[in-house]
Amino acid sequence: MSLKGIELQIAIPKTFEAGKIAEQKQQQSQLNQEQAQLQNEKEAVKNRESVRHSEKYAKADKDPKGKNQDQERNEKERQQNEEEKKTVHPYKGSFVDFTG
C-alpha cells in the first residue's frame, strides 16, 4: 500500500498528534500511580502513629484493683474452660470405640 503526497499531508500531522496524546496518557498514568503510592505511605505512617498512641493509653488502663483488663479476661476464660471440663454431657460418653 503506497501513500500519495496528499495522503501524507494529512497522515503525518495526525501521527504527531497521536504520539503527543499517547505520551500525555502515559505521563498521566504515571502521575496517578505516584499519587496513589504517596497516599498509601501517608496512611501507613498514620496507622503506625495511631498504634503507638493507643499502646501508651492501653498500659495506663487499670481497674481499681490494679489488674489489667486483659488479665481479668484471661482469668475468666480459664475459669470457663475449667467449668467446661468438669461438666459431663448427659448422653455423650467418654469412651470412643475405634474398632470397625
Side-chain angles (χ1 to χ4, degrees):
M1 177 171 139
S2 64
L3 295 174
K4 296 181 182 176
I6 295 175
E7 292 173 344
L8 287 175
Q9 289 177 356
I10 296 171
I12 291 176
K14 297 280 186 181
T15 306
F16 287 124
E17 288 176 17
K20 287 179 184 178
I21 291 172
E23 185 181 352
Q24 287 173 351
K25 285 184 179 180
Q26 184 179 9
Q27 288 176 353
Q28 184 65 33
S29 65
Q30 203 172 24
L31 287 173
N32 289 342
Q33 288 177 350
E34 288 175 4
Q35 288 175 346
Q37 183 180 5
L38 287 173
Q39 187 173 0
N40 284 340
E41 288 175 4
K42 286 180 184 178
E43 287 179 12
V45 169
K46 182 179 176 183
N47 289 340
R48 279 189 233 129
E49 291 298 320
S50 66
V51 169
R52 288 181 189 164
H53 292 299
S54 65
E55 286 177 355
K56 289 179 187 176
Y57 296 115
K59 291 178 183 177
D61 283 343
K62 291 187 179 181
D63 62 354
K65 297 176 189 175
K67 291 185 180 180
N68 234 349
Q69 291 177 356
D70 290 333
Q71 289 175 346
E72 286 182 14
R73 278 192 228 127
N74 290 339
E75 250 180 64
K76 288 179 184 177
E77 288 177 6
R78 186 175 45 82
Q79 288 175 355
Q80 287 175 351
N81 288 340
E82 288 177 8
E83 289 175 6
E84 288 176 3
K85 289 178 184 177
K86 290 179 184 177
T87 58
V88 178
H89 202 275
Y91 58 87
K92 287 185 179 179
S94 61
F95 178 73
V96 179
D97 186 14
F98 288 106
T99 58

